[in-house]
């Protein structure tokens, strides 16, 4: 159940002194091959961290041999020094591993606008590389955590091949091809073009449809590495299905661990004129702070659902809208439906169904409630 579940990969996670609390803060994942094919997707935020710029360049030839991830500092908005530190990180790792600097991707997560203690990071790399092992996935998954309360890992095995992965993220989760830091691995024998298509098809319907707080990070990165060690080449549909299962699992773990969350909310939009309409409506509902507060208070306030729908460009007739909360159709034909007191919201899971009565397409967006704990954590994040 980790980033080393697939054959051909080792990992490590150590405390390098980047975080002041002494927790693990530096992870390394290495692809030992025989193949080093890779693909990646990144934040669409126009303000991007130095590691994002670097890793985009690394992926230009569709090959990655190692990934270095630090938590405790985003290395974003750090100017030329931040770029130098990213390069120094890749260069150091490359030297220790005996690979090319251009084959080492770098990811960072933490506070924006603060320079990394790069000397500690580089020294820590020596220790991390010395501890690389096929059982190091768990340590690596803990080393990439920031405000996460638990590590997130997942894996699936099909006919002789495996997809595994790890993710971090508990806040600043909003779409843009990716919504967090994720490293995915497989021992299937696939080239970078196949990996790229599978990853983009998958992130579009998994990571791109989690929306915790409407805030898009400067560092979002999802990397997919293939070792080919299984010597099996699954067809595209089979591989994409397995990849989607892992990414969907990781995405749900991210929402469950969202900062301060007490409710996991699934917004299902059905009978939309197009998939884009369904996504737009679902996202508008997921980002409605009034609704998120109501759900935290276990108030099935469906009027806030309708008001969120009304801000979109989706095709619908207001007099044909239907809304169900946990299976109770509280709104029918744009007006009062079943008794809202019938809605049981005592459980953590909340399912909102929105029927646009405009077509046959659908989409699901996952989010969480807005709590005082979320405000508290983010009011003190940099202090």
């Amino acid at each position: 159940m980790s980033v080393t579940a697939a054959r051909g990969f080792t990992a490590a996670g150590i405390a390098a002194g980047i975080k002041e609390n002494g927790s693990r803060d530096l992870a390394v994942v290495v692809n030992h091959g025989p193949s080093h094919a890779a693909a990646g997707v990144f934040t669409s935020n126009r303000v991007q961290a130095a590691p994002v710029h670097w890793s985009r360049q690394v992926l230009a030839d569709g090959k990655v041999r190692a990934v270095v991830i630090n938590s405790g500092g985003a290395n974003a908005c750090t100017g030329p020094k931040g770029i130098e530190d990213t390069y120094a990180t890749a260069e150091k790792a490359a030297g220790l591993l005996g690979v090319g600097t251009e084959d080492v991707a770098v990811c960072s997560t933490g506070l924006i606008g603060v320079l990394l203690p790069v000397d500690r990071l580089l020294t820590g790399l020596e220790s991390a590389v010395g501890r690389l092992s096929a059982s190091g996935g768990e340590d690596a998954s803990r080393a990439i955590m920031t405000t996460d309360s638990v590590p997130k890992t997942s894996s699936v095995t099909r006919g002789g091949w495996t997809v595994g992965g790890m993710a971090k993220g508990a806040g600043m989760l909003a779409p843009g091809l990716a919504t967090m830091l994720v490293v995915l691995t497989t021992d299937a024998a696939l080239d970078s073009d196949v990996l790229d298509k599978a990853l983009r098809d998958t992130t579009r319907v998994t990571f791109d449809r989690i929306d915790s707080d409407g805030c898009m990070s400067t560092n979002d990165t999802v990397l997919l590495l293939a070792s080919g060690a299984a010597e099996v080449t699954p067809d595209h549909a089979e591989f994409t299905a397995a990849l989607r299962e892992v990414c969907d699992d990781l995405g749900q773990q991210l929402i469950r661990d969202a900062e301060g969350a007490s409710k996991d909310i699934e917004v299902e939009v059905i009978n939309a004129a197009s998939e884009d309409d369904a996504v737009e409506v679902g996202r508008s509902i997921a980002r409605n702070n009034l609704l998120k507060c109501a759900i935290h208070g276990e108030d099935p306030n469906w009027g806030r659902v309708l008001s969120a729908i009304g801000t979109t460009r989706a095709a619908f007739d207001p007099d044909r809208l239907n809304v169900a909360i946990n299976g109770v159709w509280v709104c029918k034909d744009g007006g009062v439906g079943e008794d809202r007191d019938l809605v049981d919201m005592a459980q953590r899971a909340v399912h909102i169904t929105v029927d646009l009565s405009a077509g046959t397409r659908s989409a699901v967006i996952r989010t969480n409630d807005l709590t005082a704990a979320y405000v508290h954590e983010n009011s003190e994040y940099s202090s």
Side-chain angles (χ1 to χ4, degrees):
M1 291 293 292
S2 77
V3 73
T4 53
R7 285 165 285 185
F9 293 92
T10 58
I14 62 135
I18 301 169
K19 292 178 180 174
E20 293 183 1
N21 63 9
S23 299
R24 296 181 192 272
D25 51 22
L26 183 62
V28 179
V29 178
V30 178
N31 179 357
H32 297 277
S35 172
H36 302 101
V41 291
F42 301 89
T43 182
S44 59
N45 195 321
R46 291 171 61 194
V47 177
Q48 297 183 359
V52 170
H53 290 294
W54 171 258
S55 295
R56 283 185 189 276
Q57 294 177 45
V58 169
L59 274 165
D61 65 355
K63 185 172 70 171
V64 171
R65 299 187 67 148
V67 184
V68 177
I69 308 173
N70 77 271
S71 57
N75 195 9
C77 307
T78 47
K81 182 62 167 64
I83 295 172
E84 292 173 11
D85 290 348
T86 299
Y87 181 81
T89 300
E91 186 178 42
K92 178 72 171 182
L96 293 167
L97 294 167
V99 303
T101 303
E102 70 280 2
D103 293 331
V104 180
V106 178
C107 304
S108 298
T109 179
L111 188 63
I112 295 170
V114 176
L115 289 169
L116 291 173
V118 69
D119 290 342
R120 295 179 196 169
L121 193 160
L122 298 182
T123 300
L125 271 173
E126 297 178 9
S127 176
V129 169
R131 299 186 190 185
L132 287 167
S133 75
S135 60
E138 179 68 20
D139 286 344
S141 68
R142 291 184 179 279
I144 66 175
M145 293 165 55
T146 50
T147 58
D148 308 66
S149 66
V150 294
K152 290 113 180 149
T153 63
S154 184
S155 69
V156 299
T157 298
R158 296 290 182 263
W161 52 275
T162 296
V163 177
M166 65 179 183
K168 66 78 51 185
M172 223 176 192
L173 296 177
L177 287 182
T179 55
M180 71 300 291
L181 297 187
V182 179
V183 178
L184 302 160
T185 57
T186 183
D187 49 20
L190 299 166
D191 64 32
S192 59
D193 289 339
V194 172
L195 296 178
D196 184 74
K197 180 169 178 17
L199 184 60
R200 293 181 186 279
D201 287 348
T202 297
T203 54
R204 185 182 68 81
V205 295
T206 56
F207 296 142
D208 198 33
R209 294 188 183 176
I210 3 183
D211 202 321
S212 173
D213 49 21
C215 299
M216 184 191 299
S217 173
T218 55
N219 291 57
D220 301 337
T221 301
V222 176
L223 299 175
L224 172 58
L225 283 57
S227 70
E231 299 182 344
V232 177
T233 302
D235 66 39
H236 177 77
E238 184 182 16
F239 178 72
T240 302
L243 184 65
R244 178 171 178 174
E245 186 174 337
V246 169
C247 292
D248 198 49
D249 182 22
L250 290 172
Q252 291 185 58
Q253 291 181 53
L254 290 164
I255 285 296
R256 285 197 296 270
D257 195 33
E259 291 170 343
S262 66
K263 301 289 186 184
D264 304 329
I265 307 166
E266 190 171 81
V267 182
E268 181 182 17
V269 181
I270 62 174
N271 296 325
S274 67
E275 185 177 354
D276 286 346
D277 276 7
V279 171
E280 183 181 0
V281 168
R283 202 174 315 288
S284 179
I285 294 167
R287 290 184 174 180
N288 188 294
N289 285 338
L290 288 176
L291 176 64
K292 288 155 77 79
C293 288
I295 291 176
H296 174 59
E298 300 184 354
D299 175 10
N301 193 332
W302 58 268
R304 293 177 178 176
V305 177
L306 261 63
S307 67
I309 298 170
T311 65
T312 70
R313 297 165 297 177
F316 66 86
D317 179 345
D319 293 330
R320 297 185 64 201
L321 294 174
N322 305 298
V323 176
I325 301 177
N326 284 351
V328 180
W329 289 94
V330 287
C331 169
K332 291 184 177 179
D333 295 325
V336 178
E338 297 178 75
D339 187 350
R340 57 188 288 162
D341 289 339
L342 297 174
V343 181
D344 180 4
M345 300 185 70
Q347 305 304 311
R348 184 177 177 102
V350 176
H351 188 94
I352 298 173
T353 307
V354 174
D355 178 4
L356 294 181
S357 303
T360 60
R361 306 306 296 273
S362 63
V364 173
I365 303 292
R366 292 189 174 96
T367 188
N368 50 272
D369 57 343
L370 184 60
T371 69
Y374 174 85
V375 175
H376 176 73
E377 180 152 353
N378 284 282
S379 66
E380 298 183 351
Y381 181 69
S382 63
S383 55

